[in-house]
Amino acid sequence: MISYILRRTFAAVILLLVVTAVTFAIFFLLPRLAGQTADQLAQQYIGKSPTKADIAAVKQNLGLDEPLYAQYWHFIKGIVAGATYNLGPTTAHCDAPCFGYSFKTHEAVWPQLTSRIPVTFSLAAGAAVLWLVSGVVIGVISALKPRSFFDRTFMGVALAGVSLPMFFTGSLAILLFTYQWPIFGRTYVPFTENPAQWANTLFPAWCSLALLYSAIYARLTRSGMLETMNEDFIRTARAKGLRERNVVTRHGLRAALTPIITVFGMDLGLLLGGAVITETVFSLPGIGQYAVQGITDNDLPPILGVTLLAALFVVIANLLVDLLYAAADPRVRLS
Amino acid sequence: MRRSALAAVAAIGSASLLLSACSKADDNGGDGNKSAGANAATKGVVNASTQKGGTVTYEYSDVPDSFDPGNTYYAYMYNLSRLYARPLMTFQPGPGEEGNKLVPDLAEKAGEPSDGGKTWTYKIRSGLKYQDGTAITSKDVKYAVERSNFARDVLSLGPNYFQQFMQGGKAYKGPYKDKSPEGLKSIETPDDTTIVFKLNRPFQEFDYLVATPQTAPVPQAKDTGIDYVKSIVSSGSYKFQSYDEGKQAVLVKNENWDPKTDPLRKQYPDKIVVKLKVNAETIDQDVQAGDAIDLGGTGVQAATQAKVVNDAKLKANTDNTYGGRLVYMAINNQVAPFDKVECRKAVEYAVDKVSVQTAEGGPIRGDIATTVLPPDITGYAKADVYATTGNKGDAAKAKEQLKACGKTTISTNISARSDRPQEIDAATAIIASLKKVGINASLKQYPSGKYFTDYAGVPTFDKKQNIGLHMMQWGADWNSGYGFLQQILHGDAIGASGNTNLSYLNDKQINEMLEKAIATEDDTTRNGLYGQIDKRAMDLAALVPLTYFKVLLYRPSGYTNLVSTSAFSGQYDYLNIGTTKK
Amino acid sequence: MTELSKTGAALGEPAPGNAPDAFLAVRDLKVHFPTDDGLVKSVDGLSFQVEKGKTLCIVGESGSGKSVTSLAIMGLHRLGARGKNVQMSGEIWLDGKELVSADPDEVRRLRGREMAMIFQDPLSAMHPYYTIGNQIVEAYRVHHDVSKKVARKRAVEMLDRVGIPEPDKRVDGYPHEFSGGMRQRAMIAMALVNNPELLIADEPTTALDVTVQAQILDLIRDLQKEFGSAVVLITHDLGVVAEIADDVLVMYGGRCVERGSVDDVFERPQHPYTWGLLGSMPRIDRETSERLIPVKGQPPSLINVPSGCAFHPRCPYADIPKGDVTRTVRPELQQVGGGHYSACHLSPEDRTRIWTEEIAPKL
């Protein structure tokens, strides 16, 4: 078990390195290959009509005058060992893990990420609870009464939920519940400040996001339950004289839920890397919003930082899913 | 170009249309506020009040380049930063072009030119204090100019006019690298209240330059370079209570600001909150609810626009104002066959400007333009060199010019910014007009972030790709003819990349007139010259003016002292906005 | 199925609606499933009885209705998504209680306690995520209000009783950790944990190899003796029948075609289908490479059951009776000896002749 985790961790580190290298290549190597010069890049971070000296100064300060492999190396080194940055009158040391400073705003990336994680986490966790519970409940009921009115209605709603874009549901939720009937708050409040207000503000975002996902989970649960409820062991459970409720929950759902855990873990991991559209629609200062900003500004350090963090979440989620799966299904052995 | 926030506004199309449909039934009647009528804030101050207290909230869909007054280039930040950073000069709060009038802020009075406009002397007011109670001196102004214009390696986001105009400006490396006590020698501070700028050439609009936030004082001892944005020392009526990068800033009253030293600021609200990265649709909703001001000042989203202009009651709360910008199409003088003036004139006549205006969003989004200078810029003179009936273009005249150029057809490309749907639509309309006279243009789209650095602004790229026409928008750094025209018409401004002179016009006469104008002390003569330059540029068919950009602002009902000023692209003047809400 | 001949009528039982003397009595049981293609008559008028301490084997091809019969007794086919549509009639009497018309919850309470069932494939029939012990404990606690600890002790006891070595350790094992035979033993332990008086075993040895099969059958027999329960064993394997049965019921197309004591059916079979089954039975004591009477053709469709005798399309003797009788008239079950019944149009003489002259010598 320990050696399994160690091996997985090692693989994860390699994977993260590859992810950063690919991200780096997409945003910096490709434009370079397409003919963009370091001068042109530097110019994006200067106000207007820069002199040659301005460009050279910015280039040097951002490290853009170095060869690409050196820039990449410095980034990786910063994460492991920290780095020193020029603030102007003084220099600042940025402790490991140092994800560098934004080219555009010159803000350190790491504090930005850490201050945004709680927001994205709040969004993801709340929505996840909602969609998991509602998706599974709807899926189970639908599976127990296939082709019933309930089943058809909810599967129809589920289809709509998957198809409707967040732009639509999110905006509608905002319009209805923060303006038409101002039940919910508009500005994100940290949990530590005021838990009630926190939940109150996030609720429309949770619901919108949960609608999208619970639709998927309802369908997943439904098909899983339909399959499981036809299994021989369900017949056995009934033959024991168990109440149908216990047959469904202890035996049917227990087996049908296991594959859902896998999907759930991955979805949650992905979401923690930034719910880009939801955060944009609901103006939540999370990771996704930061990523959008970085991409808009062609700002390498934030982009790399978010990518790395997102990849890290996915990797961790993956590992947890595998461990959970092993815990849930005794037939699975980790090796 | 002082950047407008326009570029960053994301389109959330389908949903917003629906939202507007949904809220049709929404009746906003009962708040008791009498509406001042449409465009009231372009004619006077709306909701004038001296009521104190409350919180004023600004919301913005993006993040500004920086709150550091020495590291910003956005009009709305120029506007907002005056609350905590007082420049030597600023603009008088007033409607429309009245707002273009320069008034002394930190300075006692306007600059005194000498040596034919090469030396400018300012006296700052006495009794000025920072938020910590320490005295503000002229040396702090000098230091602020030095850090913002010369330490380009770290504070690179603002303009660098002082670098261009100060004696020895090219050689000075800024206060972070050059630690000599005297700093830039061409800025002198003979005593704590006097500051003297020595320029390398006559510059009669220097008062405009010192009206940028770059002259707002920064105490050297408290300057932390890049990190200064986190601990800005206020010289204005408000100071930072908190600053959360990329998310929110909260300003509260600065007790050490003395109203006796300040004829402009009134310090009405107790608190000012600036929320960043707020969804554009949400901003519109908040503005209509009377709870916020759109910091960017770019106007409401398309869906909200459709909703408010079709409802007389709502329309009465809007201001449709010029944004100090020209929407145009540059004709590249260096790409054949547009090196010939007749071919350029053929384009001038061919374009149906009404179709372009429609593509841009109709008259609400801009009036049809016939000059380079928009009406809200000092120096504007009405003219229409290529007048056509109803501005719909004249195919016959265009073909005539084409013939004179020795062509029957032209094949070229037109560049536009891929992330600006209205620009794409306008270019598409132009392509249709040009096709009627035999000019076949294909649309080439490039991302706006690299439009100047990598694509349209690179002359070799344009020639290689045969891009003869460039979609473009321009707003001035300061609202004078020079501020507007120099960057887009002066031949000396052409470089290897990053050009904003997309006509690539290098006309000796225009270059000379620009230099002459800026050296002319008399305002009337100077402004007359701008009209001539405008005329000359049009005679040369350097560009096709399309529309004078307009924005549709919605006046939040709960806020007081709202006045739309030309000084800041039609935005409300942020200096004295208060609230009636508690 | 004893003393059938005593009480008149074809079935020799009390009139419908009255409790029978037998421990388990099934009367005119019909189980039909409506489907999109038509009504599936899985069981179409089946009657039989089993006494305590006795073993009835139901044999037949797959699709003959034997499993449906067992599920019907347990009340299981009515549960689940498809249970709603089942059409069921007739009577099932268990220890004086009628089950077809009984409240479903009442039947549930009998399940596992008075009647228990062993399934064919213990790997799929046991929940993969719970330990063997857990599953036995669960079965016990449904019907006994005892602590988990007590129930666990009982589980270990049962595992020990069914011959699982080191039961106190194996009790915490998962089904996939057991061998096929051990798994079936565990399954039996689970079924018997509540001392049921009726044990239904649906092909309990089919998934096992031959040596293990014998062990399991021995076990069932031993346990039956010990607990005195009635056993209904469903199989298609006459070898198993010979091994364990007291009585045999041969099903074809949802109906009984022959039933009697194991001696009757093996020594004096009265139905061509039974002959076919006997003929296709592998026998260790004979070296007959030639299968005399393999039952040719496909089992009948349960939606469109052949007219007349359902077996007539496959019956080599269908033309012997005069006229169209085999194709038009459904043969009723008739007593052919003491407690021996058969549903066939052949005259007793023909049957005896064919059996003794044509079939028996070749077996």
Side-chain angles (χ1 to χ4, degrees), chain C residues 26-34 39-46 64-78 82-83 85-92 100 251 253-255 302:
Chain C
V26 172
R27 285 179 187 159
D28 196 25
L29 179 69
K30 289 183 180 172
V31 185
H32 296 173
F33 298 92
L39 192 65
V40 179
K41 298 175 179 171
S42 293
V43 178
D44 198 23
L46 186 69
S64 61
K66 35 188 217 304
S67 285
V68 173
T69 304
S70 66
L71 293 175
I73 298 169
M74 293 289 289
L76 285 175
H77 64 287
R78 282 187 170 185
R82 276 175 292 174
N85 297 327
V86 177
Q87 298 169 358
M88 186 166 164
S89 66
E91 296 168 18
I92 298 169
V100 176
M251 279 188 84
R255 294 174 66 87
L302 294 174

Side-chain angles (χ1 to χ4, degrees), chain A residues 27 31 35-37 39-62 85-90 92 101-108 111-112 114-116 119 165-176 178-180 186-188 279-286 289-290 292-294 296-298, chain B residues 1-3 8 10-12 14-16 18-19 22-23 25-26 59 62-65 71 73-74 143 149-150 152-161 163-164 170 173 176-177 179 223-227 229-230 243-248 275-283 285-286 289 291 449-450 452-455 458 474 477 487 497-500:
Chain A
F27 284 92
Q36 188 193 46
T37 63
D39 282 10
Q40 283 168 341
L41 186 59
Q43 223 171 313
Q44 291 176 31
Y45 309 112
I46 312 175
K48 193 186 69 177
S49 51
T51 61
K52 286 221 162 57
D54 287 350
I55 295 174
V58 169
K59 239 174 26 173
Q60 194 207 351
N61 193 44
L62 299 180
Y85 284 87
N86 176 20
L87 296 180
T90 52
Y101 274 69
S102 155
F103 287 171
K104 183 93 181 180
T105 65
H106 300 286
E107 273 286 327
Q112 277 288 312
T114 49
S115 77
R116 284 165 184 274
V119 181
M166 178 53 80
F167 288 135
F168 177 83
T169 47
S171 303
L172 195 64
I174 292 179
L175 181 84
L176 292 181
T178 61
Y179 292 98
Q180 196 80 7
R186 293 182 218 161
T187 311
Y188 174 77
E279 286 174 16
T280 306
V281 171
F282 287 93
S283 315
L284 295 169
Q289 199 189 64
Y290 191 53
V292 172
Q293 187 65 37
T296 315
D297 293 344
N298 209 6
Chain B
M1 170 178 56
R2 187 166 58 189
R3 293 173 197 173
I12 304 180
S14 57
S16 47
L18 180 111
L19 291 190
C22 283
S23 32
D26 184 357
E59 293 181 343
D62 204 341
V63 290
D65 42 4
N71 201 25
Y73 212 155
Y74 284 101
Y143 179 73
N149 276 265
F150 299 92
R152 300 299 281 177
D153 52 341
V154 289
L155 300 176
S156 58
L157 300 176
N160 59 349
Y161 284 105
Q163 200 186 80
Q164 295 170 34
K170 294 270 182 319
K173 291 286 171 217
Y176 303 148
K177 281 185 180 155
K179 303 274 186 190
D223 181 20
T224 44
I226 287 164
D227 277 353
V229 69
K230 295 175 196 158
Y243 168 76
D244 207 353
E245 163 74 22
K247 293 172 207 154
Q248 177 167 293
K275 293 180 185 169
L276 304 175
K277 276 281 172 196
V278 180
N279 176 13
E281 308 295 333
T282 306
I283 296 178
Q285 295 289 343
D286 288 346
D291 293 345
K450 298 174 181 177
F452 299 105
T453 56
D454 290 22
Y455 303 111
V458 182
W474 186 250
D477 280 3
Q487 291 286 323
S497 74
N499 287 299
T500 47

Side-chain angles (χ1 to χ4, degrees), chain A residues 143-144 146 230 232-233 235-236 238-244 250-252 254-255 258 325 328-331 333, chain C residues 74 76 79-80 82 108 111-112 119 124-130 135 138-139 142-143 174 176-177 187 190:
Chain A
L144 294 182
N230 278 328
D232 285 356
F233 58 76
R235 196 181 53 192
T236 309
R238 286 176 175 148
K240 287 179 185 175
L242 283 177
R243 284 176 196 282
E244 190 63 14
R250 269 182 58 81
H251 291 256
R254 172 71 175 77
T258 312
Y325 208 112
D329 186 345
R331 289 170 300 183
R333 285 255 162 73
Chain C
M74 293 289 289
L76 285 175
L79 302 171
R82 276 175 292 174
R108 177 186 69 75
R111 268 204 302 276
F119 296 99
S124 64
M126 294 183 102
H127 202 294
Y129 297 168
Y130 295 113
Q135 302 190 44
E138 185 185 41
V142 177
H143 302 289
Y174 288 94
H176 69 273
E177 294 167 340
M187 186 83 207
M190 189 160 85

Side-chain angles (χ1 to χ4, degrees), chain C residues 157-307:
Chain C
E157 211 176 279
M158 285 310 295
L159 289 176
D160 189 34
R161 176 62 197 85
V162 299
I164 288 174
E166 296 187 280
D168 48 336
K169 280 183 192 146
R170 301 291 274 166
V171 72
D172 291 323
Y174 288 94
H176 69 273
E177 294 167 340
F178 279 57
S179 69
M182 285 298 144
R183 236 179 344 244
Q184 193 58 291
R185 282 171 194 266
M187 186 83 207
I188 292 169
M190 189 160 85
L192 295 182
V193 72
N194 292 312
N195 292 334
E197 294 172 297
L198 170 65
L199 179 67
I200 300 175
D202 187 355
E203 307 261 11
T205 58
T206 310
L208 306 173
D209 67 56
V210 184
T211 48
V212 181
Q213 267 185 15
Q215 291 172 7
I216 295 294
L217 289 177
D218 283 347
L219 178 65
I220 292 175
R221 195 161 39 211
D222 290 354
L223 291 169
Q224 184 189 20
K225 273 187 192 134
E226 189 178 329
F227 294 105
S229 19
V231 172
V232 174
L233 194 144
I234 287 158
T235 182
H236 65 276
D237 183 350
L238 286 182
V240 171
V241 179
E243 193 74 24
I244 197 166
D246 294 309
D247 297 310
V248 181
L249 189 154
V250 182
M251 279 188 84
Y252 187 82
R255 294 174 66 87
C256 172
V257 292
E258 179 165 11
R259 71 168 201 245
S261 69
V262 65
D263 285 348
D264 285 342
V265 173
F266 275 77
E267 301 304 328
R268 296 172 289 279
Q270 296 289 317
H271 195 283
Y273 179 60
T274 315
W275 301 339
L277 291 178
L278 288 168
S280 52
M281 184 174 78
R283 292 182 59 154
I284 303 165
D285 56 343
R286 296 243 181 116
E287 280 189 40
T288 312
S289 54
E290 180 198 4
R291 289 283 139 70
L292 175 66
I293 316 163
V295 188
K296 286 180 194 141
Q298 295 299 312
S301 154
L302 294 174
I303 294 172
N304 297 307
V305 183
S307 59

